[in-house]
Amino acid sequence: MKTKHKRTQEEILYDILLIILNKSGRIKRTQLMTKANLSYKLMKNYLEDLVKKEYVDFVKRNEQKYLIITDKGRDFLDNLIKVKCFKETMGLE
Amino acid sequence: MMLSIIVAPPWFRGIDCIFEYFGIVVFLLIAFFAYKATRITNDKKTKWLFISFLLIAGSYLIKAFKDLNFYFPVEREVFIGNFHLKYASIAIIQSEVLINAISRILFLLGLVGLYFLITRSEEKRHVFLLVFFTTIVTYISSFIPHLFHLTNVVLLAEISYFYFKKTKLKQPSQKMIMTAFLCLMLSQVLFLTFLSRFYVNAKILELIAFIFFLIAYSLVVFGTKSKK
């Protein structure tokens, strides 16, 4: 049986930011929770961290609360993508 | 007195050092990207990659510095009373054995670091054993320089094999790194001959390896971006 690899903190952050970006930079929290395959508690912790670092932000549109990725968040995602590619290139992953 | 042999043909002396300085820049670029990656992700593997490439860059730096002093010794003049003495500064040449040893051990430790990263060996006893053998090889290489190049060939062959097995060369940048390792290995095979005509070929192969490393680095740093 194939065992599922446990994601690292870096991989979860990468997944969260990429999911938001792929949804035109705006997503609802519940959608993110499903797509990122995270529990409510875990997602809350990660989002608190991301908001604190100003990588994501909350906005209200049509009475709905959305999560958006900031420019700082996009830059961080770019760096994460580069690091991931670098690790693959050097045979570390 | 220790007699040194210069393998490089006269017309090539100095050019080989330029190749080495180019290699130093490339290895430092990779090392500092690995350092940046460590700061972003706090990953131990990138930290060891940073150290490995830094060691290899350090090895080339020492070697290039020594070679330049060897090829073009600085002439000095001293006046003692009515005597006028002219001599070449040979302080560096005299300590050639030590400088060679430092350069060799740095290179071997860098390769050992890469070997452990690529094979994902986490057995600490293996690290201890390899570092021990690296020291022994460095010491014996002072008398039998062929041993140093032979060890490099073996280590680079192992690194290339495990790199291929692990990555399957799915990305263009991985193909570049694989080619770079193979060129470095072939250059070490040519260095083993200690012949002038092969020395030039070996240095050109080394330069090709540096260029491939640089292309792979550029593909990673400038070729990857999220869609905005």
Side-chain angles (χ1 to χ4, degrees), chain B residues 205-223:
Chain B
L205 268 173
E206 229 180 25
L207 179 69
I208 294 169
F210 300 153
I211 292 169
F212 274 112
F213 274 122
L214 185 65
I215 297 171
Y217 169 82
S218 308
L219 283 174
V220 171
V221 176
F222 307 111

Side-chain angles (χ1 to χ4, degrees), chain B residues 91-111:
Chain B
I92 286 161
I93 298 168
Q94 279 173 337
S95 52
E96 191 211 356
V97 178
L98 180 70
I99 292 172
N100 266 343
I102 296 170
S103 163
R104 281 172 181 162
I105 202 162
L106 291 182
F107 193 77
L108 284 171
L109 286 175
L111 287 187

Side-chain angles (χ1 to χ4, degrees), chain A residues 8-11 13 18 21-22 53 55 69-71 73-93, chain B residues 30 33-34 36-37 40-41 43 45-46 49 53 117-118 120 163 166-167 171 173-174 177 213 216-217 219-222 224-228:
Chain A
T8 60
Q9 198 177 340
E10 170 206 340
E11 284 170 328
L13 286 178
L18 199 65
L21 195 74
N22 286 341
K53 286 176 178 163
Y55 294 151
I69 185 165
T70 62
D71 285 343
R74 281 169 197 251
D75 288 340
F76 181 67
L77 181 62
D78 270 343
N79 282 331
L80 279 182
I81 291 170
K82 278 178 190 169
V83 168
K84 199 172 183 287
C85 185
F86 178 71
K87 281 167 141 187
E88 281 169 5
T89 298
M90 299 315 296
L92 303 184
E93 277 192 344
Chain B
I30 298 173
F33 193 83
K36 194 182 161 191
I40 293 171
T41 61
D43 190 348
K45 282 185 272 183
T46 48
L49 192 76
F53 274 102
L117 279 170
I118 289 170
R120 277 190 185 176
Y163 184 80
K166 201 171 166 185
T167 62
Q171 295 172 12
S173 55
Q174 289 171 338
I177 296 286
F213 274 122
Y217 169 82
L219 283 174
V220 171
V221 176
F222 307 111
T224 47
K225 225 172 184 193
S226 65
K227 292 170 209 156
K228 286 194 180 176

Side-chain angles (χ1 to χ4, degrees), chain B:
Chain B
M1 190 187 149
M2 186 108 184
L3 190 70
S4 293
I5 306 159
I6 299 178
V7 190
W11 64 269
F12 196 62
R13 290 173 196 168
I15 299 173
D16 55 350
C17 295
I18 296 171
F19 288 6
E20 280 162 5
Y21 283 120
F22 175 71
I24 293 163
V25 173
V26 174
F27 288 132
L28 284 179
L29 280 174
I30 298 173
F32 285 109
F33 193 83
Y35 176 72
K36 194 182 161 191
T38 311
R39 288 199 66 180
I40 293 171
T41 61
N42 218 0
D43 190 348
K44 273 185 186 172
K45 282 185 272 183
T46 48
K47 187 173 93 181
W48 284 109
L49 192 76
F50 160 66
I51 294 169
S52 299
F53 274 102
L54 206 62
L55 288 172
I56 295 173
S59 155
Y60 275 108
L61 186 70
I62 292 169
K63 192 179 173 294
F65 175 72
K66 184 215 79 183
D67 284 348
L68 272 182
N69 277 282
F70 226 86
Y71 299 154
F72 314 107
V74 183
E75 286 200 338
R76 285 183 187 165
E77 287 177 288
V78 181
F79 295 92
I80 307 166
N82 292 330
F83 295 102
H84 176 204
L85 297 172
K86 204 172 183 181
Y87 67 98
S89 74
I90 51 166
I92 286 161
I93 298 168
Q94 279 173 337
S95 52
E96 191 211 356
V97 178
L98 180 70
I99 292 172
N100 266 343
I102 296 170
S103 163
R104 281 172 181 162
I105 202 162
L106 291 182
F107 193 77
L108 284 171
L109 286 175
L111 287 187
V112 166
L114 287 181
Y115 173 80
F116 273 102
L117 279 170
I118 289 170
T119 57
R120 277 190 185 176
S121 178
E122 279 165 11
E123 187 64 61
K124 282 186 180 152
R125 286 189 70 81
H126 291 174
V127 180
F128 170 75
L129 267 179
L130 261 174
V131 171
F132 173 74
F133 284 122
T134 302
T135 317
I136 298 285
V137 165
T138 309
Y139 178 70
I140 301 173
S141 295
S142 307
F143 316 106
I144 314 163
H146 299 79
L147 186 66
F148 168 66
H149 297 297
L150 190 66
T151 314
N152 287 343
V153 172
V154 174
L155 277 172
L156 283 163
E158 282 290 293
I159 290 171
S160 306
Y161 169 73
F162 280 105
Y163 184 80
F164 176 75
K165 209 175 141 190
K166 201 171 166 185
T167 62
K168 303 278 181 231
L169 310 182
K170 288 173 205 149
Q171 295 172 12
S173 55
Q174 289 171 338
K175 286 177 190 150
M176 301 286 168
I177 296 286
M178 180 76 193
T179 316
F181 280 138
L182 288 176
C183 286
L184 271 186
M185 190 188 77
L186 284 176
S187 73
Q188 292 297 325
V189 173
L190 294 178
F191 281 135
L192 257 172
T193 61
F194 279 88
L195 292 170
S196 286
R197 58 176 182 275
F198 287 133
Y199 179 84
V200 177
N201 293 338
K203 277 287 166 192
I204 291 169
L205 268 173
E206 229 180 25
L207 179 69
I208 294 169
F210 300 153
I211 292 169
F212 274 112
F213 274 122
L214 185 65
I215 297 171
Y217 169 82
S218 308
L219 283 174
V220 171
V221 176
F222 307 111
T224 47
K225 225 172 184 193
S226 65
K227 292 170 209 156
K228 286 194 180 176

